[in-house]
Amino acid sequence: MSKQDDSREPPHFNLDFKPAYGEAVPVAARVQRITVNNPSPFTFHGTNSYIIGDRSVAVIDPGPEDEAHFQALMAALAGREVTHIAVSHTHRDHSPLARRLKAATGAIIVAEGPHRAARPLHAGESNPFAESSDIDFVPDIALAHGDRVEGDGWTLTALLTPGHTANHAAFALDGPDGIVFSADHVMAWATSIVAPPDGAMADYMASLDRLLERDDRLYFPGHGGPVTEPAAFLRGLRTHRRMRERAVRERIRAGDRLIADMVKVIYRETDPRLHGAAALSVLAHLEDLVARGEVVTEGPPSLAGLYFPAPGL
């Protein structure tokens, strides 16, 4: 089966992860992981920060404003020069500590750019993830797809992967191990949240395809443990999203008109604490289906909108 073929199965998620809070855990040659003690239904056991290099290093995703985590990072970095801080995206569990770490080390902050939504807010719409967004974040250097960040014995290549957020980026570590730091785009423990207006399903699916064009062998995500067979996992994620899309179409054909009614059926086995995020995921699918002419609604797609099959479908 080629990399572009679809898996017939959704991904097999792996919940086996020991966070080892406060410890710099070696996970690959010249790579250490430190996990923030900020577990939640959205962060799993916590946010992973990564240290790349030996004497002169980069830090990927320093994390939230958390004193214990800052001290753990500084202890792990003692005696080493920090030249770069790479930030995958601007949710508050990933980016805020970058400013304090820069002040302490003098490192350069690199990222795709400041926080922005995938689309403008519609009239009367609010952003449900506004409080989770680090709107004060501004990188020293904005990265385009394929831009390289070089240090002493290491090189990171920016892989722009919008979908979870508009400014999401993964980082590939040059070398024979085929390592990508996939942040929140691809995680072994769960699917990524795609929540309009911050995220967009069409962007997310295109980003999966962009990674499938590569031949990487190991992903280190923003939460949880590694993805050890990335190509198969990416195909599984794509299958999973297409199954969700099909379920949304089927619920509309069955007579469901409201997103809340669709969520009750499609996500009946999901933790009820995540049903709000599930509703946003359904909205993301509906935005894509409306744009493709398969579903119709009055005005722009919204959480409270009524949805109908497009004529002839």
Side-chain angles (χ1 to χ4, degrees), residues 9 36 93 136 205 210 303:
E9 299 290 336
V36 188
D93 57 322
D136 297 324
M205 296 296 284
R210 170 170 271 181
L303 284 171

Side-chain angles (χ1 to χ4, degrees), residues 36 44 92 97 108 110 129 140 184 212 219 223 261 290 295:
V36 188
F44 194 36
R92 289 189 178 276
L97 202 62
I108 297 170
V110 298
F129 278 83
D140 297 311
D184 284 9
L212 270 167
Y219 285 3
H223 308 277
D261 294 330
V290 168
V295 173

Side-chain angles (χ1 to χ4, degrees), residues 24-98:
V25 179
V27 292
R30 300 175 297 134
V31 179
Q32 295 173 297
R33 181 188 65 220
I34 306 179
T35 303
V36 188
N37 189 0
N38 62 333
S40 78
F42 298 104
T43 61
F44 194 36
H45 289 292
T47 304
N48 294 328
S49 299
Y50 295 95
I51 301 172
I52 316 302
D54 294 317
R55 291 176 298 175
S56 179
V57 304
V59 175
I60 297 178
D61 282 353
E65 281 288 357
D66 183 281
E67 181 63 27
H69 187 62
F70 177 73
Q71 295 301 331
L73 277 173
M74 294 305 294
L77 295 168
R80 298 195 275 182
E81 177 190 21
V82 184
T83 60
H84 295 82
I85 300 166
V87 173
S88 66
H89 66 294
T90 44
H91 281 156
R92 289 189 178 276
D93 57 322
H94 288 262
S95 59
L97 202 62

Side-chain angles (χ1 to χ4, degrees), residues 119 122 125 196 199-200 282-292 301:
R119 60 160 174 77
H122 301 312
E125 183 184 25
V282 171
L283 175 60
H285 280 295
L286 286 166
E287 285 187 340
D288 192 24
L289 289 167
V290 168
R292 285 153 46 191

Side-chain angles (χ1 to χ4, degrees), residues 148-166:
R148 295 159 69 88
V149 179
E150 297 183 355
D152 182 14
W154 54 264
T155 300
L156 293 172
T157 300
L159 308 175
L160 301 194
T161 47
H164 175 65
T165 60

Side-chain angles (χ1 to χ4, degrees), residues 188-266:
W189 74 284
T191 57
S192 178
I193 296 172
V194 181
D198 270 13
M201 190 59 69
D203 290 345
Y204 176 83
M205 296 296 284
S207 293
L208 290 181
D209 288 341
R210 170 170 271 181
L211 291 187
L212 270 167
E213 294 172 356
R214 297 175 53 84
D215 190 25
D216 303 303
R217 290 191 285 258
L218 183 64
Y219 285 3
F220 289 122
H223 308 277
V227 176
T228 56
E229 297 183 7
F233 197 80
L234 286 166
R235 291 194 296 268
L237 286 176
R238 190 165 60 181
T239 295
H240 172 79
R241 294 294 182 172
R242 288 176 175 171
M243 290 170 62
R244 285 286 192 239
E245 177 187 285
R246 185 166 62 248
V248 170
R249 286 198 304 262
E250 289 173 352
R251 293 315 309 162
I252 293 174
R253 289 176 182 147
D256 286 355
R257 298 291 171 253
L258 295 171
I259 287 177
D261 294 330
M262 301 178 207
V263 169
K264 289 177 185 177
V265 177
I266 298 172

